[in-house]
Amino acid sequence: MNELANLAEKLGADIEQVRQGIGSDPRIGYHFLYPGCGYGGSCFPKDVQALQRTARLDAGMEMKVLNAVEDANDAQKHVLTAKTVKRFGNDLSGRKFAVWGLAFKPNTDDMREAPSRYLLADLFAAGATVVAYDPVAMHEARRIFGDEPRLSYAESPMAALDGADALLIVTEWKEFRSPDFEAIKAKLKQPVIFDGRNLYEPKQVRQFGIDYQAIGRQ
């Protein structure tokens, strides 16, 4: 779905319509057919890599589909960076970005292989600073990033937006699903949202004058 979403974006199609079409086949269903900014955690990455190693070392064969899955997921973790750079340029020095979500999925503080870690590293490398908010994972982020001077933490989602050049959404926490878009626009320096989890209907957000960029949505 991530690769189909990227293709849909380039072709001017809407991945949500594609998702509805694919999911209507009862042999497939709608569960887990959601594009985003990559999977993380301890299970999926570890299990894919373990099966690859077992095949390679014990059977002398390459699992071509699994290799492609891992390559595609690694690339997907940088998709929000690509959108940000396209909008603001390669040099993000002096830019500040708000990030909603640090955990690899909702309802956990687990940041192992989380897309947020790759996004933050990309933004720092480009010269940006980040103000992050996550309901439960900020203590884990502090453990991982330590005294990283380019990273600070907000006490609420809206507080993270103060003076930020754009909002980047990485984790689909329930509390992010129904925000006050007028307030978001008022707080951001530029009314831009990069949504790595397709939380909102594009037309609804854009009617507030916000540049809304999701994954494969038009």
Side-chain angles (χ1 to χ4, degrees):
M1 285 304 293
N2 286 340
E3 290 214 301
L4 285 174
N6 296 338
L7 177 61
E9 202 166 292
K10 290 183 179 297
L11 296 177
D14 190 332
I15 193 60
E16 179 59 20
Q17 294 180 6
V18 177
R19 189 185 75 84
Q20 293 290 335
I22 295 173
S24 65
D25 187 330
R27 297 168 299 177
I28 300 173
Y30 297 102
H31 296 297
F32 309 112
L33 284 183
Y34 295 96
C37 52
Y39 65 75
S42 62
C43 295
F44 281 171
K46 171 179 63 65
D47 292 346
V48 169
Q49 292 164 13
L51 191 51
Q52 288 172 301
R53 284 194 299 270
T54 297
R56 187 177 300 120
L57 298 178
D58 296 346
M61 64 177 289
E62 288 293 329
M63 304 291 284
K64 295 180 181 180
V65 173
L66 285 185
N67 292 345
V69 166
E70 188 169 41
D71 290 345
N73 189 60
D74 288 345
Q76 199 69 15
K77 291 180 178 180
H78 300 280
V79 70
L80 288 181
T81 305
K83 290 178 180 293
T84 304
V85 166
K86 184 177 180 180
R87 178 67 167 73
F88 292 99
N90 291 311
D91 184 0
L92 300 178
S93 300
R95 301 284 188 185
K96 180 171 74 170
F97 296 99
V99 171
W100 283 4
L102 295 167
F104 85 92
K105 69 175 183 178
N107 305 315
T108 182
D109 65 352
D110 195 340
M111 289 183 60
R112 286 174 289 184
E113 295 296 323
S116 64
R117 297 177 67 161
Y118 295 83
L119 173 63
L120 265 58
D122 288 345
L123 294 177
F124 296 156
T129 59
V130 172
V131 181
Y133 172 80
D134 188 285
V136 301
M138 289 193 290
H139 68 283
E140 179 66 5
R142 289 186 176 96
R143 184 189 69 79
I144 292 169
F145 290 99
D147 296 325
E148 169 57 63
R150 296 164 293 189
L151 176 61
S152 59
Y153 304 92
E155 295 183 357
S156 69
M158 298 305 290
L161 305 179
D162 289 330
D165 288 282
L167 165 62
L168 294 88
I169 302 173
V170 187
T171 314
E172 62 271 36
W173 285 96
K174 185 176 180 180
E175 68 179 272
F176 300 159
R177 291 186 177 275
S178 299
D180 183 336
F181 290 112
E182 287 186 348
I184 289 176
K185 182 180 179 181
K187 281 181 169 288
L188 290 172
K189 272 182 163 180
Q190 301 187 46
V192 183
I193 297 176
F194 301 106
D195 184 356
R197 297 300 176 186
N198 290 1
L199 293 185
Y200 316 122
E201 187 60 37
K203 289 182 180 179
Q204 178 190 2
V205 183
R206 290 170 185 153
Q207 70 181 1
F208 292 94
I210 294 173
D211 178 5
Y212 178 68
Q213 301 187 32
I215 310 296
R217 300 299 311 270
Q218 299 299 324

